[in-house]
Amino acid sequence: MQTRSQQQRRQDRDAQVAARGADGVVLSVRGLSVEYRARRGGVKAVRNVDFDLYKGESLALIGESGCGKTTLATALVRLLVRMATISEGEVLYHRDGKTVDVLALNEGGMRHFRWKECAMVFQGALNAFNPVLTIARQFQDTAQAHGLDDKAEIDRRSRDLLRKVQLDPDRVLPSYPFELSGGMRQRVLMALALLLEPQIIILDEPTTALDILTQRNIIDMLNGLRKELGFTLLFVSHDLAMAAELADRVATMYAGRIIELGDVYDIFNAPRHPYTYGLMKATPTLHDDASEMVSIEGSPPDLIDLPPGCKFHPRCAFMEEGKCTTEDPPLLEVGKRHTAACWFWPKVEATIEEEKAAKGVSRLNEAPAEQLQASAPQVEGRA
């Protein structure tokens, strides 16, 4: 049964979805592919990815290590390492009735776009800072690099944002990065990302290597900031509990491709791709016996020498010879605002319904965050 806050959260999300349209899209990605150069050949890290990012929403990219999540996120802001190349596709940014082709921008255009329109918070917060400059100086340098030269205004914004991320400006601004804890550095980086009021924030594993209480604080903080400031959030995570709490929509990636995309409730309660279904079966929940957890057999494919047909078929319990082994499925409509790249998604649906019937319960109306055994437990006094 849903609590009042969970019901309100879903009502808010439904209202947001109902208000969407062509005017609500802030970022359109079409046919994006990225390859890394290697001695054995090209590593197809991202393959023909399509999705739209809507104003004010939160989209989670989930999947196991090496599936292309971080490569996709960094490709959107053209911060790939030298050995990586965007081989095809387009990234279109929309604001105030204008459309910008991000991949066609020159270096000056990209400098403007990267922090003023779209900012990225990297996984290693310590590595993202200059170790010999104070936090105050790094806020100043970032602002001045984008045309904001008023030091009083920079200081005002810096202090305001640090308070919003629950930090004391008088303690943080004169400090060097190594003088702050991991959780503090992560929050400072989030404040820095918001300095120029970008429309899109990209987070790469924002709670990695942080203790569970700090994870809880960051999740609550992100929810509050997004509601207050109205930015669009795209985040990469292995933590399904975090995705359940933060995301409006979830995209599952496998072998460099988005293989399922839908509302967070549909992805967690009614997945239609065998891989997403496998992820949910392998995740402990608050309701099920831990002995019922089942891992996904096998290993991800070699991204240099991908198998024919569906790339998941060597590990798939629903695979059928012929169709699955020769034809790679496109994203198919499997529900309202829900797509999955599987020829036999009705078999996954039938299996899930049989499991629910066997347990004698229906969890379709249950909030995803309630189902998962959250890695960041509830803190007394917090929602």
Side-chain angles (χ1 to χ4, degrees):
M1 183 175 179
Q2 291 181 323
T3 66
R4 182 178 181 84
S5 63
Q6 291 161 357
Q7 291 172 343
Q8 184 62 49
R9 183 183 172 196
R10 184 152 200 182
Q11 289 171 2
D12 291 345
R13 180 179 295 124
D14 289 344
Q16 181 189 62
V17 170
R20 285 177 189 162
D23 295 337
V25 176
V26 295
L27 195 73
S28 301
V29 179
R30 296 290 179 267
L32 187 65
S33 297
V34 179
E35 287 194 12
Y36 289 92
R37 295 187 300 276
R39 290 182 179 179
R40 291 198 298 120
V43 179
K44 304 173 186 66
V46 174
R47 301 182 299 114
N48 195 31
V49 166
D50 294 324
F51 69 92
D52 289 321
L53 198 56
Y54 293 92
K55 184 176 178 61
E57 80 163 341
S58 176
L59 175 64
L61 294 176
I62 65 171
E64 58 198 325
S65 296
C67 70
K69 304 184 300 296
T70 296
T71 297
L72 172 58
T74 52
L76 299 180
V77 288
R78 286 170 51 187
L79 286 175
L80 294 165
V81 296
R82 290 184 179 180
M83 67 179 66
T85 304
I86 298 176
S87 56
E88 59 181 334
E90 60 182 9
V91 178
L92 303 178
Y93 175 67
H94 311 282
R95 185 164 193 171
D96 299 329
K98 299 179 180 179
T99 298
V100 175
D101 185 347
V102 175
L103 302 185
L105 289 173
N106 58 26
E107 194 57 39
M110 278 308 302
R111 282 177 63 84
H112 171 88
F113 174 77
R114 279 193 190 119
W115 217 260
K116 202 163 186 180
E117 306 294 343
C118 179
M120 185 165 183
V121 177
F122 295 94
Q123 183 172 343
L126 182 61
N127 298 330
F129 289 111
N130 187 325
V132 299
L133 297 180
T134 64
I135 298 300
R137 177 65 184 277
Q138 301 195 48
F139 271 88
Q140 290 172 8
D141 287 353
T142 300
Q144 290 171 351
H146 291 83
L148 181 59
D149 296 319
D150 186 338
K151 290 186 178 181
E153 176 63 13
I154 296 170
D155 183 68
R156 185 195 66 77
R157 286 195 193 185
S158 302
R159 290 177 176 276
D160 181 52
L161 287 168
L162 288 172
R163 292 188 191 98
K164 287 183 186 300
V165 298
Q166 302 166 13
L167 292 175
D168 178 7
D170 293 328
R171 159 73 174 88
V172 171
L173 287 172
S175 301
Y176 291 90
F178 61 84
E179 295 179 306
L180 305 177
S181 69
M184 292 174 73
R185 286 194 297 266
Q186 195 73 23
R187 283 181 281 172
V188 170
L189 198 54
M190 290 176 187
L192 188 58
L194 293 167
L195 181 63
L196 299 174
E197 301 176 345
Q199 190 172 206
I200 303 170
I201 301 290
I202 300 175
L203 301 177
D204 186 9
E205 297 283 358
T207 59
T208 296
L210 301 178
D211 65 83
I212 55 177
L213 295 180
T214 303
Q215 289 180 23
R216 176 78 255 163
N217 288 338
I218 286 180
I219 288 172
D220 290 345
M221 181 195 72
L222 285 170
N223 272 325
L225 285 174
R226 190 164 65 93
K227 186 174 182 179
E228 178 182 353
L229 303 177
F231 56 80
T232 299
L233 185 63
L234 173 66
F235 70 95
V236 171
S237 183
H238 291 98
D239 187 346
L240 297 186
M242 181 182 178
E245 291 213 31
L246 268 181
D248 299 317
R249 291 192 300 152
V250 176
T252 306
M253 290 194 70
Y254 185 79
R257 187 179 167 212
I258 291 178
I259 48 88
E260 186 162 10
L261 177 62
D263 181 272
V264 63
Y265 286 86
D266 293 330
I267 295 296
F268 280 86
N269 290 311
R272 293 296 178 255
H273 193 283
Y275 177 64
T276 310
Y277 169 69
L279 288 179
M280 301 307 159
K281 292 285 287 183
T283 304
T285 73
L286 293 172
H287 300 273
D288 297 329
D289 191 330
S291 63
E292 296 180 8
M293 291 172 55
V294 180
S295 63
I296 302 174
E297 294 185 1
S299 301
D302 182 348
L303 295 179
I304 295 177
D305 186 20
L306 289 164
C310 174
K311 310 314 175 196
F312 186 64
H313 86 257
R315 307 173 68 186
C316 183
F318 300 91
M319 185 271 292
E320 292 190 11
E321 291 289 343
K323 193 83 167 173
C324 295
T325 55
T326 59
E327 299 181 41
D328 200 4
L331 283 169
L332 305 172
E333 292 286 341
V334 298
K336 188 178 181 181
R337 304 184 301 273
H338 188 182
T339 57
C342 180
W343 296 119
F344 298 102
W345 64 265
K347 293 169 63 176
V348 181
E349 179 182 24
T351 299
I352 293 172
E353 292 305 317
E354 288 173 5
E355 290 175 350
K356 289 174 182 173
K359 292 177 182 178
V361 295
S362 173
R363 291 161 56 184
L364 277 175
N365 293 321
E366 203 168 300
E370 285 289 303
Q371 292 183 31
L372 292 174
Q373 179 68 53
S375 58
Q378 295 290 330
V379 178
E380 186 176 356
R382 294 187 179 272

